[in-house]
Amino acid sequence: MATLLDGRLLAARIETRLAEAIGAGLAQAGRPPGLAVLRVGDDPASGVYVANKEKACSRVGITNLGAHLAADTPAAEVLATIERLNADPAVDGILLQLPLPAGLDEGPLLAAIDPAKDADGLHTLNLGRLLKGEPGPRSCTPAGVMALLAAAGVEPAGKRAVVVGRSILVGQPMALMLQAANATVTVAHSRTGDLAALTRQADVLVVAAGRPGMIGAEHVQPGAVVVDVGIHRRPEGGLCGDVRFDEVEPIASAISPVPGGVGPMTVTMLLVNTVTGWCGRCGLTNPLTDLLP
Ligand code: NDP
């Protein structure tokens, strides 16, 4: 039976560490960490994600300094809000919740976020820092996967890793993080021929293709560690991932469930990036560096 890569449990443990770090640094810092989640419009799924992030902030003692703008807010006004948050000394992290309403171009708005406050770790400068191995906020989902692997004692060094998906949000930074941890990494995408032959070579298989149930037993070598980033709402209700869990679990040595695997870790790494920014800004020693790939 495979070890369960339990993201809920690990996220709760890291939240305890975050709350302790904030409690320990509060007097010297003179203020709590602040995260601004900026939401534009009323996309219902985004509403749920933003509420989850806000609840997580309040559990650990991060002040929520976010704003919710109307769907018809002009780009100049969204930009002005980002610039105000950039200049606000109480804000350590800024996150622009995507997708934006039709008509708003996310590119220039994401680029306007101060890279030092880029809680999502997706600013061009921070992706460049990841590429060069320089410190900086790391993309939350792949950083969460690295934390899940570390907590399960999976050491990527010397292993063969395959990442399915090459998005800027997940696949690309995931491959860079695994490579930085000395895995030998191959990235698969929609034009990869004979995907199963490739994924069967993986000691560590990370799937972020956004295709419900696409990875089955035929894609996995016995004993592999399988991380499922995909998340989908089933037509009949409930959530599922890109991996057919019931089929792969008996073969894998470890596997992440959906829900309860990578999802909770993504939110937690957002908090880690925010508290890391706060430590830097307030001259505190960061006790969370082991969580930064
Ligand atoms: P994208 O749609 O941006 O990227 C999907 C990637 O998968 C692309 O690179 C695509 O290839 C590749 N792909 C698609 N189909 C196949 C296939 N049949 N075989 C091999 N590769 C394929 O998705 P994201 O990276 O943003 O997200 C991926 C999944 O992860 C989604 O389900 C998303 O909901 C989930 N997610 C979950 C998070 C969490 O916290 N748990 C956070 C972020 C995302 P190509 O480049 O050629 O098009």
Side-chain angles (χ1 to χ4, degrees):
M1 218 173 89
T3 302
L4 199 68
L5 301 172
D6 187 336
R8 269 195 205 114
L9 189 69
L10 182 58
R13 280 204 201 119
I14 295 174
E15 281 192 8
T16 302
R17 288 183 60 192
L18 284 161
E20 283 167 7
I22 294 168
L26 203 51
Q28 190 187 328
R31 65 170 181 87
L35 174 65
V37 180
L38 182 55
R39 183 177 172 211
V40 189
D42 296 302
D43 176 64
S46 293
V48 175
Y49 295 142
V50 170
N52 281 343
K53 288 166 189 170
E54 290 174 348
K55 276 187 225 151
C57 280
S58 62
R59 283 198 298 271
V60 302
I62 295 175
T63 307
N64 165 29
L65 299 164
H68 185 181
L69 305 177
D72 59 356
T73 306
E77 205 177 306
V78 182
L79 190 62
T81 306
I82 291 172
E83 282 163 357
R84 177 178 60 73
L85 295 168
N86 282 344
D88 186 341
V91 173
D92 298 293
I94 303 170
L95 169 100
L96 181 62
Q97 184 68 43
L98 301 177
L100 295 174
L104 278 181
D105 181 2
E106 65 189 45
L109 296 171
L110 289 170
I113 294 172
D114 178 351
K117 295 189 175 186
D118 170 31
D120 240 353
L122 293 172
H123 191 283
T124 304
L125 185 71
N126 289 323
L127 289 169
R129 286 175 170 148
L130 171 62
L131 180 67
K132 293 185 78 178
E134 294 173 3
R138 295 296 193 236
S139 324
C140 296
T141 301
V145 172
M146 295 305 285
L148 266 181
L149 294 176
V154 178
E155 171 52 73
K159 302 245 163 62
R160 177 83 197 248
V162 174
V163 178
V164 184
R166 58 176 168 181
S167 73
I168 288 297
L169 183 63
V170 188
Q172 301 274 11
M174 185 76 256
L176 289 170
M177 286 178 199
L178 286 164
Q179 187 175 253
N182 295 314
T184 302
V185 184
T186 308
V187 178
H189 47 76
S190 65
R191 306 286 293 273
T192 299
D194 202 350
L195 182 70
L198 182 71
T199 55
R200 271 199 307 270
Q201 294 174 33
D203 305 310
V204 177
L205 176 61
V206 181
V207 189
R211 299 272 179 269
M214 71 170 277
I215 296 293
E218 73 278 18
H219 293 88
V220 178
Q221 75 163 318
V225 173
V226 180
V227 181
D228 189 355
V229 180
I231 182 150
H232 311 278
R233 227 162 263 290
R234 282 198 178 104
E236 67 272 26
L239 299 175
C240 70
D242 288 355
V243 176
R244 301 197 289 274
F245 184 92
D246 292 344
E247 218 178 272
V248 172
E249 192 271 344
I251 307 170
S253 63
I255 185 167
S256 69
V258 178
V262 176
M265 292 304 299
T266 298
V267 178
T268 303
M269 296 314 293
L270 181 71
L271 309 183
V272 169
N273 279 339
T274 303
V275 172
T276 296
W278 174 70
C279 288
R281 231 161 260 115
C282 298
L284 303 168
T285 304
N286 183 5
L288 304 163
T289 49
D290 59 300
L291 295 170
L292 303 170

